[in-house]
Amino acid sequence: MIEILTPVELQRARRTGALVGDILHELSGRARVGTNLLEIDAWAREMILEAGATSCYVDYAPSFGRGPFGHYICTAVNDAVLHGLPHDYVLADGDLLTLDLAVVLDGIAADAAVSFVVGDSPQPESDALIDSTRRALAAGIAAAGPGARLGDLSAAIGDVLSADGYPINVEFGGHGIGSTMHQDPHVANTGRAGRGYKLRPGLLLALEPWIMADTDRLVTDPDGWTLRSATGSRTAHTEHTIAITETGAEIMTLPAHLRA
Ligand code: MG
């Protein structure tokens, strides 16, 4: 089912999105060399509860996981890219960290992810991966608006990733979002323009380009959750929740310093 939000619900979605953006921004600042992934999870828990929100992950138990997830944020390091289960690991200089956060506030969910390098040793390969997912996300958002088709967004995202030379996995991608975190439609990170569902004002979508440097194959950790690059190569993931408006698309998960 595809949910179309009312103006009142969209206003709530703005608040949820702002919360997700602000928490991710704060955690990105706190995560440094010596930080344990479990500390990041504890900080996320504290901020979510303080805001009166609910984590979408704690009780998340899809068919593929060894659920429930039991943590408040996904933390993925280096070759880990999706569903990274927080565990007892201390961040080292040069690690590439991805934080993915989804919460519900006042009945509306928002979902966003950021990748960044910890410490200050130069990591050009990681910087290039991260930059590619950011530009792909920007292209997907630029293609979004009333009347655009899902395939337009997928094609815009995939064109950037492909032009940068990265393989694209089509098992996991973006998704509709609203009263729950994962809804129809699926938004593949590659596709054909002009195809698929026609976007309407009030639709919320989580767009999330993610890549692995030299493969499109994932392997699952023994923890049953964390998905890694099959080759051990580095990975990156950038995600925003957007709303289709009457005139275009609005990014809901910007942190405070980037909000109008
Ligand atoms: Mg998502």
Side-chain angles (χ1 to χ4, degrees), residues 37-59:
L37 299 182
L38 294 174
E39 287 179 85
I40 297 173
D41 187 50
W43 292 329
R45 175 182 187 276
E46 195 176 277
M47 291 180 219
I48 291 167
L49 297 184
E50 192 177 284
T54 312
S55 165
C56 296
Y57 297 148
V58 173
D59 299 319

Side-chain angles (χ1 to χ4, degrees), residues 35-246:
T35 303
N36 193 304
L37 299 182
L38 294 174
E39 287 179 85
I40 297 173
D41 187 50
W43 292 329
R45 175 182 187 276
E46 195 176 277
M47 291 180 219
I48 291 167
L49 297 184
E50 192 177 284
T54 312
S55 165
C56 296
Y57 297 148
V58 173
D59 299 319
Y60 186 51
S63 53
F64 56 81
R66 197 175 293 168
F69 190 74
H71 291 271
Y72 291 78
I73 189 165
C74 293
T75 58
V77 180
N78 297 337
D79 58 325
V81 62
L82 298 178
H83 311 152
L85 190 73
H87 60 283
D88 184 13
Y89 174 81
V90 174
L91 291 168
D93 191 34
D95 275 348
L96 190 165
L97 176 63
T98 297
L99 300 177
D100 189 347
L101 179 71
V103 308
V104 172
L105 179 68
D106 270 343
I108 305 289
D111 189 0
V114 288
S115 287
F116 55 95
V117 173
V118 176
D120 38 41
S121 76
Q123 298 291 334
E125 187 206 29
S126 297
D127 292 343
L129 280 165
I130 295 166
D131 183 60
S132 185
T133 59
R134 288 180 182 166
R135 283 184 288 106
L137 177 58
I141 294 170
R149 292 190 180 269
L150 271 184
D152 300 341
L153 280 61
S154 296
I157 291 169
D159 284 352
V160 171
L161 303 176
S162 297
D164 290 346
Y166 298 115
I168 300 170
N169 171 293
V170 291
E171 294 167 85
F172 295 94
H175 49 94
I177 181 168
S179 56
T180 57
M181 166 175 61
H182 284 142
Q183 300 191 350
D184 290 333
H186 173 71
V187 190
N189 284 329
T190 184
R192 290 176 65 179
R195 300 289 184 89
Y197 178 80
K198 197 186 270 188
L199 307 186
R200 293 165 50 190
L203 177 68
L204 273 192
L205 292 172
L207 302 185
E208 46 183 319
W210 63 275
I211 44 174
M212 305 178 278
D214 61 2
T215 182
D216 63 353
R217 282 187 44 235
L218 290 162
V219 291
T220 308
D221 257 17
D223 69 19
W225 281 103
T226 306
L227 298 177
R228 293 181 189 276
S229 144
T231 58
S233 62
R234 287 203 167 192
T235 66
H237 180 196
T238 305
E239 177 177 17
H240 271 308
T241 294
I242 66 166
I244 305 305
T245 64
E246 299 292 338

Side-chain angles (χ1 to χ4, degrees), residues 21-22 24-26 254-260:
D22 288 345
L24 281 179
H25 181 71
E26 173 67 22
L254 291 173
H257 69 283
L258 296 177
R259 291 198 291 271

